[in-house]
Amino acid sequence: MSADMLSAFVDSAERHHATVHRVAPEEVTATIARLVEAPAVGVALPWGLDLPEAVATDPTPADLDAAETGVTAARLAIADYGSVVLESDAAGSEAVSLFPERHVAVVRAGDVVPGMREAIERLGDRLRDGASAVLATGPSATADMGDLVIGAHGPRAVEIVLVEEAEEMDGHDSGPDSEEDSRE
Amino acid sequence: MSKSKSRAETAARIRHLLDTEGDAVAENTRGFNRGRYESVRELDDYESLKSAARAIKEDAIERIPELIDELRESVEANGGHLYVAADPAEANAYVREVVDGGNVVKSKSMTTEELDLNDALEADGAAVTETDLGEWVLQLADETPSHIVGPAVHKSREGIADLFAETFGLDDDDRPETAEELTRFAREKLLADIREAEVGVTGANFLAADSGTLALVTSEGNARKTAVVPDTHVAVAGVEKVIPTVEDLAPFVELIGRSGTGQDITSYVSLLTPPVSSPPVDFGEADSPVAERGAAGGDGATDPHPDREFHLVLVDNGRLDLREDDDLRETLYCIRCGACSNSCGNFQSVGGHAFGGETYSGGIATGWEAGVEGLDTAAEFNDLCTGCSRCVPACPVEIDIPWINTVVRDRINRGDAADGEGSGSVGFLVDGLTPDEEPAGLDPAKRLFGNFETLAKLGSATAPLSNLVANARPVRGAMDRWLGITRERDLPAFERETLVDWFDARGGPRVSEGLARREAVVYPDVYTNHVAVDRGRAAVRTLEALGVRVTVPESTAVGSGRAPLSQGMVETARRKAERCRDALLPEVDAGRDVVVIEPSDLAAFEREYERLLPADDAERVADGCFEVLEYVYGLLENGADPGGLTTAEDAGGRARVAYHPHCQGKTLDLEPYTVAVLERLGYEVDTSETECCGMAGSFGYKSEYYELSMDVGEPLSEQFGDAERVLASGTSCREQLDALLGSPAEHPIEAIAPGE
């Protein structure tokens, strides 16, 4: 990942009505705390990152229904489109990213890929292994009610927390594969 | 039913739709179409993505049986079930057994519309709710989709507000009005149904055989909820949706949103490998955690959730026969993006309730309905494809949609003949005028338009009497009644002196062989030779002024086959193409360029001849032919002196020109040459933004389509209403602009030609 690619990701995401927050690992928890609106539900983050206390894990259907915010990790991000790739899991990340009005997605800068082809290539073996994922770009939307409306069945606000290691923040290219699959 | 009565009914139905749905359809589809242009412009490799997508589909359709076997293995290895249904009855029976009268939520699926699945499930007492907002509106209104992608594009916001208020008995105070309010209202209502659902039914945009992954391309998020909230997921898709690998998804994901609604990507592209790992969201146990306590992100991501059940129903319903059909097979490459609808002038005006069959709508619907329902259904709307070809560059899998429409029209013509329909009482008159190889019962109007060449020869030979007779009131009345040629239009006026006669009388070529920069034949197409002779003379003078030795041989005054082709008379077109090839290739072989004025004829040479002639012949004709302004551009680029041409300055105060390129000319990318030449000569060019003028050869002459044709031309009136000078490349565009603006348009070559 290069500094240009990260900027491209930020631009693309914002063009699709998402907001990107570029932070160091130690700022992640506080950043999420600032972005959530209560009540908030979430799925425990991988990569040694912590959710703030305001985010409740192990949500029930009633919690999902009532939540204003859902926080999940994203496996990949796509610079050309500003998309985050949300993988399904047994912890319910799909529902947590979908029901609340606001989705906070946490993705590592090292997991940003340039384009769709690279993203699908990365997903190929995972899907063949049985995984499922959604390429999510901005909030849900509809044009079926006579005009474009942001926020349909899914979230109407998407906040992306882009986690950059110190050397990445200096623009140093650490290579996209350096930390791959540390989540498994 | 008599032909004239059925024409009147068709006209009335179209008029009704123009009045009730036309405005909403026009606004939505033209918006999608503009979005497509903007969105594909951002892609550096648009054309190569389309070719890649096309190649994947060609390969996949070739290997359907093998890929279905592989997909079955993948789905079953994941723990799901795959069922191949031969027809709707089998598909519905399978889904009914799974649903077993339970509550069903659905995301948008055209294939389930094709099956009438909702009716089948409801007959068992199941409550079925469409969760796509557009589909839900139609479910409440008891209407059918009018567009493959935007099912409710024919509904206005006001109409939806009234529908909600009426359906749910809302008072004036609490009824939602704005698009935002309507969306919130629908979301809340539908969430209640999603909570209660036992089964979620989705379609699938693509199915990867190697993994068993299905792709769902959506924006609202309802498909995600449909697939994930209930524990049972049924996906229904045509057998043509299978592609070999996950990696093959990439070009489609980049193309589908751009092509359809002009979004570079939709909000969600779900890649589900069911049964998925996500826990069902069971609102029956609303206070129990959805997942195992303490589960973290990524846990069990590749394991199916134990409570889940998945059924994939693959539907044949005529598709495998379509695959064996050399002319219609391409239909199966369709990814249902809607680009052919949005780029179509007729569709933009009247929508899928006119330009559509039982399920599918727009240009490609002719292939789908012919394959799935049969020719009778395709026959009901096939006329609405005028062959303008604007869908061709829009289609992300490069389907030749006009050809599919032509072939189906040909089959309809022949089918009509078989059951004796369509032989009007003036048939014998037209028969005598137009001997051809088409079935005897062919609609006389189609026969008349298809054989315009014969008529034109007769018309010129007997002009001006022929024009006087043709336009006499009793004759126009009879033409309207028996042939369906509207009285509203002026008929083309035949010139007594054809272009060929004029050229001979003038004494042949004027540039000597020794001094000639190049040698060219100006192709005297039927219209230029008999009707629009002025533009032919202008072409000759222009080329001569640029140092080209021009000839207009009598031998080349043969029709291209465009006219019969547009009526679906493929065998007649083939015969004409062979004759035209025999006339033109000797000129090409002798080193002469063939310069073509009428874009629709050039389009026949460059696009359709490969369907009508041996490949090598078609290629040689196409390579030897140039559109006249394209040719002028080439001459100027290669150093020809434009000094003899009429510049904007010469034209005095008429330097600003409005220009409408012909639809087929746009598809051949000819527009930039005309604009460049005009600008080089100092003209300021305002180019039309519309896809097609709406005239489309014979279409606008037909009484049942006259009003639609004029409506399609409406954007041109709006754009060019105040223009002082209007240029148009096509003959029929010229007729249409004359009708719309009340003043005749010129061919661009007439603007730049030296004076006589």
Side-chain angles (χ1 to χ4, degrees):
Chain A
M1 152 274 333
S2 68
D4 283 352
M5 199 164 73
L6 293 185
S7 308
F9 171 70
V10 173
D11 291 348
S12 306
E14 293 188 346
R15 205 170 61 243
H16 290 101
H17 310 284
T19 309
V20 183
H21 309 268
R22 301 177 65 164
V23 299
E26 56 274 19
E27 299 168 309
V28 168
T29 308
T31 305
I32 296 171
R34 197 158 45 75
L35 293 173
V36 300
E37 273 178 37
V41 294
V43 175
L45 299 173
W47 318 309
L49 298 172
D50 292 323
L51 291 172
E53 271 180 29
V55 178
T57 53
D58 302 320
T60 65
D63 294 337
L64 286 171
D65 218 1
E68 282 295 321
T69 308
V71 185
T72 70
R75 182 179 179 82
L76 291 173
I78 309 173
D80 281 352
Y81 289 90
S83 316
V84 288
V85 179
L86 310 172
E87 201 174 76
S88 303
D89 54 32
S93 288
E94 171 74 344
V96 169
S97 69
L98 181 61
F99 273 81
E101 295 269 314
R102 171 182 291 249
H103 176 217
V104 178
V106 182
V107 66
R108 295 179 302 175
D111 290 330
V112 181
V113 297
M116 190 56 66
R117 200 165 45 82
E118 292 83 356
I120 301 279
E121 273 170 15
R122 292 280 202 103
L123 284 169
D125 286 341
R126 284 295 284 175
L127 298 179
R128 277 182 286 271
D129 283 346
S132 300
V134 54
L135 316 181
T137 312
S140 65
T142 185
D144 284 347
M145 294 290 144
D147 209 347
L148 178 69
V149 176
I150 303 288
H153 289 276
R156 58 170 159 181
V158 172
E159 307 283 346
I160 299 169
V161 179
L162 183 65
V163 188
E164 299 181 75
E165 298 290 345
E167 67 270 30
E168 290 166 349
M169 299 194 84
D170 294 333
H172 176 72
D173 189 347
S174 64
D177 296 321
S178 57
E179 294 176 299
E180 195 181 21
D181 292 344
S182 61
R183 166 138 71 116
E184 289 160 57
Chain B
M1 186 185 350
S2 79
K3 281 275 162 188
S4 61
K5 191 172 167 211
S6 78
R7 275 189 206 106
E9 285 179 1
T10 303
R13 197 164 58 88
I14 288 176
R15 188 179 308 127
H16 174 71
L17 289 172
L18 284 171
D19 290 345
T20 53
E21 302 183 353
D23 288 348
V25 170
E27 192 186 331
N28 282 306
T29 52
R30 287 175 188 153
F32 292 154
N33 198 42
R34 274 193 302 274
R36 172 175 60 84
Y37 281 113
E38 286 165 23
S39 168
V40 302
R41 206 176 291 135
E42 293 166 14
L43 272 181
D44 298 333
D45 50 354
Y46 176 48
E47 294 300 328
S48 61
L49 280 172
K50 289 201 291 186
S51 302
R54 165 88 187 187
I56 292 165
K57 276 291 185 182
E58 280 183 7
D59 170 53
I61 297 305
E62 180 68 33
R63 297 199 283 133
I64 283 183
E66 177 194 329
L67 291 177
I68 291 176
D69 288 345
E70 190 185 343
L71 179 63
R72 180 189 299 280
E73 281 179 33
S74 302
V75 169
E76 290 177 355
N78 294 333
H81 308 274
L82 185 149
Y83 175 72
V84 179
D87 55 31
E90 283 190 11
N92 290 342
Y94 185 92
V95 182
R96 283 168 61 185
E97 203 175 314
V98 174
V99 166
D100 193 24
N103 294 326
V104 177
V105 284
K106 282 183 72 205
S107 70
K108 184 174 143 12
S109 151
M110 290 306 290
T111 308
T112 61
E113 298 271 355
E114 175 188 323
L115 304 174
D116 289 325
L117 176 66
N118 294 11
D119 292 345
L121 296 179
E122 282 163 354
D124 292 339
V128 182
T129 307
E130 296 284 352
T131 61
D132 173 86
L133 297 187
E135 286 285 352
W136 189 56
V137 165
L138 298 188
Q139 191 178 27
L140 297 179
D142 195 20
E143 291 179 21
T144 57
S146 62
H147 188 283
I148 294 177
V149 174
V153 290
H154 61 286
K155 305 289 277 186
S156 65
R157 183 186 54 74
E158 294 81 0
I160 296 169
D162 290 344
L163 174 71
F164 284 3
E166 193 182 317
T167 307
F168 298 101
L170 307 175
D171 297 336
D172 283 351
D173 296 338
D174 56 3
R175 62 176 256 163
E177 290 289 348
T178 66
E180 183 115 0
E181 287 164 2
L182 293 165
T183 303
R184 305 299 296 172
F185 179 83
R187 174 188 161 120
E188 292 310 317
K189 283 276 180 206
L190 289 168
L191 187 57
D193 292 315
I194 292 168
R195 283 197 197 104
E196 299 291 319
E198 282 138 344
V199 179
V201 175
T202 70
N205 293 88
F206 305 96
L207 293 157
D210 65 339
S211 67
T213 301
L214 65 95
L216 288 171
V217 179
T218 69
S219 274
E220 292 180 0
N222 63 307
R224 295 176 66 189
K225 283 184 175 158
T226 300
V228 168
V229 175
D231 59 14
T232 303
H233 176 190
V234 179
V236 181
V239 291
E240 82 284 2
K241 298 289 180 66
V242 187
I243 57 173
T245 69
V246 171
E247 284 77 4
D248 290 326
L249 287 166
F252 296 107
V253 172
E254 297 213 72
L255 289 168
I256 193 166
R258 295 179 198 265
S259 302
T261 53
Q263 295 164 275
D264 56 357
I265 191 165
T266 57
S267 299
Y268 304 120
V269 179
S270 289
L271 304 173
L272 302 174
T273 312
V276 297
S277 56
S278 300
V281 185
D282 183 358
F283 283 92
E285 302 203 21
D287 296 319
S288 304
V290 171
E292 299 257 332
R293 277 192 192 281
D299 284 356
T302 56
D303 306 322
H305 192 280
D307 295 345
R308 286 198 175 275
E309 193 178 316
F310 172 66
H311 301 266
L312 174 59
V313 180
L314 290 181
V315 181
D316 173 1
N317 200 24
R319 288 163 173 81
L320 294 177
D321 288 339
L322 211 48
R323 177 171 167 267
E324 304 295 327
D325 187 321
D326 285 343
D327 284 308
L328 304 186
R329 179 184 306 119
E330 281 191 298
T331 304
L332 298 172
Y333 305 162
C334 170
I335 59 170
R336 313 250 177 101
C337 69
C340 57
S341 298
N342 302 333
S343 58
C344 171
N346 279 344
F347 193 98
Q348 288 176 357
S349 273
V350 79
H353 286 158
F355 197 164
E358 291 289 318
T359 310
Y360 300 100
S361 53
I364 195 62
T366 295
W368 281 121
E369 294 286 341
V372 167
E373 298 286 340
L375 273 186
D376 289 352
T377 309
E380 286 169 18
F381 63 94
N382 166 261
D383 272 356
L384 289 179
C385 172
T386 63
C388 87
S389 79
R390 294 307 299 138
C391 52
V392 172
C395 176
V397 280
E398 303 177 334
I399 301 175
D400 192 345
I401 294 165
W403 180 253
I404 287 173
N405 278 277
T406 301
V407 168
V408 168
R409 189 165 303 157
D410 183 77
R411 293 180 190 178
I412 292 165
N413 291 343
R414 288 165 196 281
D416 259 0
D419 60 24
E421 288 281 318
S423 44
S425 56
V426 293
F428 70 95
L429 280 177
V430 183
D431 280 346
L433 192 63
T434 59
D436 61 30
E437 293 172 1
E438 300 299 329
L442 177 65
D443 180 303
K446 285 190 173 170
R447 179 161 296 201
L448 180 78
F449 286 120
N451 288 286
F452 185 72
E453 183 176 0
T454 313
L455 190 67
K457 280 186 186 149
L458 193 65
S460 277
T462 58
L465 185 65
S466 53
N467 299 323
L468 287 173
V469 171
N471 279 304
R473 277 186 60 197
V475 175
R476 291 307 300 268
M479 288 172 97
D480 195 348
R481 183 148 180 220
W482 299 112
L483 295 173
I485 297 173
T486 179
R487 280 178 249 210
E488 306 289 336
R489 296 267 186 200
D490 294 335
L491 291 176
F494 299 110
E495 295 276 351
R496 182 78 191 216
E497 184 179 55
T498 64
L499 180 66
V500 170
D501 292 343
W502 167 81
F503 188 80
D504 283 346
R506 207 189 56 147
R510 289 198 172 165
V511 175
S512 71
E513 280 181 67
L515 292 175
R517 169 181 284 277
R518 292 190 77 88
E519 293 193 33
V521 167
V522 167
Y523 169 61
D525 67 83
V526 178
Y527 259 96
T528 304
N529 201 30
H530 294 277
V531 179
V533 181
D534 282 353
R535 65 183 193 174
R537 299 203 296 241
V540 172
R541 293 200 307 276
T542 303
L543 299 190
E544 287 177 344
L546 295 170
V548 177
R549 180 181 164 85
V550 179
T551 50
V552 189
E554 169 86 53
S555 62
T556 60
V558 294
S560 68
R562 165 59 66 202
L565 208 53
S566 72
Q567 307 304 318
M569 296 156 65
V570 174
E571 280 318 304
T572 303
R574 194 183 311 279
R575 215 182 58 228
K576 300 227 175 209
E578 287 163 356
R579 202 182 45 156
C580 197
R581 167 201 63 193
D582 293 344
L584 296 182
L585 282 184
E587 302 292 337
V588 173
D589 290 340
R592 287 185 276 274
D593 305 317
V594 177
V595 176
V596 182
I597 300 171
E598 178 57 38
S600 63
D601 288 310
L602 187 69
F605 299 154
E606 300 213 347
R607 286 186 18 82
E608 279 96 354
Y609 271 24
E610 65 183 44
R611 309 272 186 182
L612 301 172
L613 297 174
D616 184 52
D617 289 359
E619 198 178 328
R620 284 166 65 210
V621 173
D623 288 351
C625 292
F626 303 86
E627 193 266 341
V628 61
L629 270 292
E630 176 192 21
Y631 195 66
V632 168
Y633 175 86
L635 293 167
L636 294 176
E637 284 294 296
N638 284 289
D641 176 11
L645 304 183
T646 300
T647 64
E649 203 175 331
D650 302 330
R654 289 154 48 85
R656 264 198 91 85
V657 293
Y659 170 53
H660 175 63
H662 184 272
C663 47
Q664 289 165 330
K666 276 179 85 157
T667 297
L668 296 176
D669 254 335
L670 298 172
E671 168 188 336
Y673 298 114
T674 301
V675 173
V677 169
L678 288 168
E679 287 181 347
R680 170 135 183 209
L681 296 174
Y683 294 92
E684 287 175 58
V685 187
D686 179 14
T687 307
S688 72
E689 284 155 19
T690 196
E691 297 288 1
C692 174
C693 71
M695 187 68 185
S698 63
F699 184 79
Y701 283 109
K702 295 181 178 173
S703 27
E704 66 268 46
Y705 301 125
Y706 167 72
E707 286 164 78
L708 173 55
S709 161
M710 292 299 280
D711 192 76
V712 173
E714 192 55 36
L716 273 173
S717 304
E718 286 165 21
Q719 196 183 348
F720 288 168
D722 300 327
E724 288 191 6
R725 192 175 190 191
V726 181
L727 309 179
S729 296
T731 323
S732 52
C733 320
R734 206 178 64 157
E735 307 274 350
Q736 176 77 326
L737 284 161
D738 194 354
L740 289 166
L741 306 174
S743 59
E746 302 160 84
H747 191 284
I749 200 73
E750 294 177 83
I752 67 163
E756 296 218 41

